[in-house]
Amino acid sequence: MKYFRFLIISVILFISACNWFKSPPEIGKVLAEHFKNKIYKDFDTVAYDSVFVKTMDELSNNFINPKTIKAFYAANNDEPRFVTRFYVNGELDSLAGYLQNSTVHGLNPKIFNTDEVKDLLQQLGENKFKKVDEAYPVLAKLEILSANAYLNYTNFLKFGVVNPRNIFSRYYIKVKRPDSLSMSKLLASESLVDTLNAVQPKSAQYKGLQEAYLGSNNPNEKRILSLNMERFRWKMPETGDNYIQVNIPDFKLTWFDKLDTVISMKVCVGGKREDGYEDKLKAFAKSGNLDDKPKNHETPLLFSKINSIQANPIWNIPVSIAQSEIYWMARKDPYYLSNSNINVYYKGKLIGEPDTINWNKYSRDKLPFKFKQGSGGGNALGKFKFIFDNGSSIYLHDTNNKNGFNLTNRAISHGCVRVEKPLEFAEKLLNDAYTYDKLRVEVDMLPVDTTHMNWYRKRMAKKADTLKSFQLKPAWFGPKKAVPLLITYFTAWPQNDKIEYRPDVYAMDEKLWVAMKKFR
């Protein structure tokens, strides 16, 4: 009974694939008619399949997505679908042309086995096979290499050749990557040429870089251009037309509304990690000694939405800064904490007189305290803190040290982003005159609308009342709509009909160049 059941299933599978196993199959008819060659009418699917399986096993070891390609052909009875559909109409020749021309994207045609595909097309086109079985190895290899090249070329242009999240430790932007379903759909495409045309990057930024790349003879310039073309190929989250971008190498924040700039300003970003960081980190892992711990204050790359503004913010001082800076300052100067408006907490309770703490009793790697800097003029965050969800405790903020904005290299912060024009930025975010005046008064500034002067007078009266202790506290304000924020990294981009270049402040170009080695 079991044998009978197996036999029935085999018959059903055979019938479902009859279009492939009929004699001659479609590939035999197509080639016989195209070449006016009767040998293809003797096309033996079983014999071809044996050659195909062997060829697939030999070639797929070097594929990027071997499982997807194998699954596609397994689902289609190992039929030579690419040759059947796209050889006679010339689309395989077009594919070879696109592969050869991949140099315009800074890619090396060799990574697609372009010469081999072209050679196989020529062999098939010469129509010199005496027997049909002589054609099987050529057809199988042409089929498999064409499908693999098409898939890789399409993925590289749509998503980039590398996944930045795999090579950069602080790259938290969830770039979209190709999945097996989308790749299977690509392989089942009805037109290779339509797909190849569709995947060509069309943004003005990419085209500007591409034009400069093709027009340059300077190897270093071409390297930088190709790296940034790759960055523009990465599939970023949808920001919409209205979004804020912080470009780290440019040390600048720009708010875009379609092609218009809403506001632009200088920023200070996190300092570069120490030279020899990786080796020093290994040494620290072995010793556990904080003196061996290398510094890394690089601002992470991320995507989020600014959802609130805090006026008169409190700074929750990170443990790393407490250990590396606050601890030593407090030991050196017993009044440093109170003079800097820094409160100290032990097990969640405020210590009334932090100046009396005997720091000699505590090692900095096991500090039992938490530190918070209160609101006010001396606060390191200045008067405003711009908040967005992220896992790195990063935010945009004002600063009490404005001199940093005069520097050429503004990679000087502990990781957060200091903005040059916080008040103007807050006004644009709030986009509401009434709420903006409330925010101004909260930081002791006159309201723009004189009808709101009562708010200001009442606040000043409270501060002047010597009988009551006025305490400056944070106040929260919410934009009407959260605004997308992208903290990114471009060292070259087109602007005003020329290419702008910026220093590779975090040495990310260098790392990306190494990762792209086998593709260039």
Side-chain angles (χ1 to χ4, degrees):
M1 186 66 180
K2 286 183 178 178
Y3 175 77
F4 180 73
R5 239 183 247 164
F6 175 77
L7 187 61
I8 291 295
I9 292 171
S10 299
V11 171
I12 292 172
L13 289 173
F14 179 81
I15 292 172
S16 67
C18 63
N19 286 332
W20 168 233
F21 289 106
K22 67 184 180 181
S23 181
E26 187 178 0
I27 181 66
K29 288 182 177 181
V30 167
L31 295 180
E33 183 178 345
H34 178 70
F35 289 115
K36 308 302 181 189
N37 192 333
K38 294 180 180 180
I39 67 167
Y40 290 108
K41 292 184 177 181
D42 298 328
F43 199 101
D44 186 334
T45 56
V46 175
Y48 168 80
D49 191 65
S50 176
V51 174
F52 180 89
V53 170
K54 182 182 178 182
T55 306
M56 177 67 82
D57 288 341
E58 290 172 352
L59 297 176
S60 61
N61 289 330
N62 298 317
F63 288 179
I64 296 175
N65 299 289
K67 291 182 179 179
T68 300
I69 292 177
K70 286 182 176 180
F72 172 77
Y73 281 103
N76 290 281
N77 306 303
D78 293 342
E79 293 179 49
R81 295 170 67 88
F82 269 56
V83 177
T84 304
R85 291 184 177 186
F86 308 121
Y87 176 72
V88 173
N89 68 6
E91 292 203 12
L92 282 186
D93 289 307
S94 296
L95 170 62
Y98 274 96
L99 301 179
Q100 188 65 52
N101 203 38
S102 61
T103 52
V104 302
H105 299 288
L107 303 176
N108 188 340
K110 289 183 179 179
I111 64 176
F112 305 110
N113 299 109
T114 304
D115 288 342
E116 202 164 358
V117 170
K118 289 167 68 177
D119 182 61
L120 291 164
L121 284 169
Q122 183 178 343
Q123 286 184 53
L124 184 59
E126 287 174 350
N127 192 26
K128 291 182 178 180
F129 302 118
K130 302 299 182 184
K131 297 179 182 179
V132 70
D133 55 356
E134 294 176 5
Y136 295 159
V138 173
L139 291 171
K141 204 168 186 180
L142 177 60
E143 178 70 24
I144 295 167
L145 289 182
S146 295
N148 181 60
Y150 166 74
L151 189 63
N152 288 343
Y153 179 89
T154 305
N155 283 341
F156 290 171
L157 292 197
K158 283 184 70 175
F159 304 100
V161 301
V162 299
N163 184 348
R165 290 167 65 87
N166 291 341
I167 60 175
F168 299 121
S169 59
R170 294 195 174 188
Y171 197 102
Y172 302 130
I173 303 171
K174 293 182 179 179
V175 293
K176 189 176 180 182
R177 299 297 298 168
D179 54 47
S180 57
L181 180 60
S182 65
M183 288 190 284
S184 296
K185 288 181 178 179
L186 277 174
L187 291 170
S189 174
E190 294 295 324
S191 170
L192 299 188
V193 171
D194 286 351
T195 303
L196 293 168
N197 280 331
V199 299
Q200 300 301 312
K202 296 175 176 60
S203 73
Q205 295 97 326
Y206 189 92
K207 287 185 175 180
L209 289 171
Q210 191 176 40
E211 184 178 346
Y213 177 82
L214 298 172
S216 175
N217 293 316
N218 184 310
N220 186 55
E221 188 176 51
K222 288 177 75 74
R223 179 181 70 89
I224 296 170
L225 291 166
S226 67
L227 289 170
N228 287 281
M229 284 161 63
E230 168 68 1
R231 289 186 173 110
F232 276 107
R233 287 192 289 259
W234 294 337
K235 206 79 167 181
M236 295 291 183
E238 290 294 331
T239 59
D241 291 331
N242 194 293
Y243 68 99
I244 297 160
Q245 176 180 285
V246 172
N247 183 16
I248 289 174
D250 194 27
F251 305 119
K252 187 170 286 186
L253 176 152
T254 308
W255 187 330
F256 295 101
D257 185 4
K258 296 181 181 177
L259 298 178
D260 297 327
T261 298
V262 176
I263 191 173
S264 180
M265 67 188 72
K266 295 177 182 178
V267 297
C268 297
V269 299
K272 180 185 176 182
R273 65 179 63 184
E274 284 186 27
D275 291 336
Y277 178 81
E278 300 295 341
D279 292 335
K280 291 178 181 179
L281 197 62
K282 290 176 183 177
F284 169 66
K286 288 182 179 180
S287 70
N289 188 335
L290 279 178
D291 291 330
D292 295 333
K293 187 176 183 180
K295 293 180 180 177
N296 181 7
H297 297 309
E298 292 180 358
T299 298
L301 277 65
L302 54 83
F303 172 75
S304 188
K305 291 185 178 182
I306 298 179
N307 51 50
S308 61
I309 304 170
Q310 190 181 55
N312 301 315
I314 288 175
W315 183 30
N316 295 304
I317 300 175
V319 172
S320 59
I321 298 177
Q323 291 175 333
S324 62
E325 298 179 25
I326 305 298
Y327 173 79
W328 295 116
M329 296 299 291
R331 287 194 62 164
K332 184 178 179 180
D333 177 4
Y335 302 108
Y336 166 76
L337 296 169
S338 56
N339 288 339
S340 302
N341 193 21
I342 295 176
N343 293 322
V344 183
Y345 297 81
Y346 178 73
K347 293 184 178 180
K349 293 184 179 180
L350 178 66
I351 296 177
E353 297 183 12
D355 302 335
T356 63
I357 296 174
N358 182 1
W359 295 102
N360 292 322
K361 291 173 59 178
Y362 307 100
S363 63
R364 66 187 180 112
D365 58 335
K366 295 181 180 178
L367 280 179
F369 308 109
K370 289 187 177 180
F371 303 84
K372 294 184 180 183
Q373 187 175 40
S375 305
N379 189 287
L381 306 185
K383 295 181 179 180
F384 304 103
K385 177 180 174 182
F386 305 93
I387 301 169
F388 46 90
D389 295 333
N390 68 94
S392 303
S393 299
I394 294 295
Y395 38 83
L396 275 59
H397 65 86
D398 181 18
T399 178
N400 58 11
N401 179 14
K402 306 292 186 182
N403 292 328
F405 297 112
N406 297 322
L407 300 174
T408 301
N409 184 342
R410 295 192 287 278
I412 58 175
S413 81
H414 287 99
C416 289
V417 179
R418 305 173 189 172
V419 296
E420 180 189 23
K421 305 172 184 176
L423 187 63
E424 292 179 41
F425 189 47
E427 181 180 15
K428 297 293 183 185
L429 282 169
L430 294 174
N431 195 27
D432 180 82
Y434 181 86
T435 309
Y436 176 59
D437 267 356
K438 279 198 164 185
L439 177 138
R440 287 177 63 91
V441 170
E442 201 65 41
V443 294
D444 300 339
M445 296 181 69
L446 289 169
V448 176
D449 187 341
T450 54
T451 62
H452 297 152
M453 281 298 295
N454 281 340
W455 300 344
Y456 181 76
R457 294 191 188 99
K458 287 180 181 179
R459 182 175 176 81
M460 292 300 103
K462 285 182 180 179
K463 291 187 72 173
D465 190 345
T466 56
L467 298 178
K468 294 181 180 179
S469 177
F470 176 84
Q471 186 177 0
L472 193 62
K473 294 181 180 179
W476 296 82
F477 298 86
K480 287 184 177 179
K481 185 179 180 181
V483 183
L485 168 70
L486 188 63
I487 300 180
T488 189
Y489 196 97
F490 291 103
T491 53
W493 66 93
Q495 185 174 309
N496 298 327
D497 298 323
K498 69 174 185 175
I499 302 296
E500 294 287 340
Y501 294 94
R502 295 295 183 272
D504 183 19
V505 62
Y506 288 169
M508 292 180 77
D509 275 5
E510 186 179 327
K511 205 163 189 177
L512 181 56
W513 187 244
V514 172
M516 291 178 64
K517 183 178 181 180
K518 62 182 179 181
F519 304 105
R520 48 186 171 82

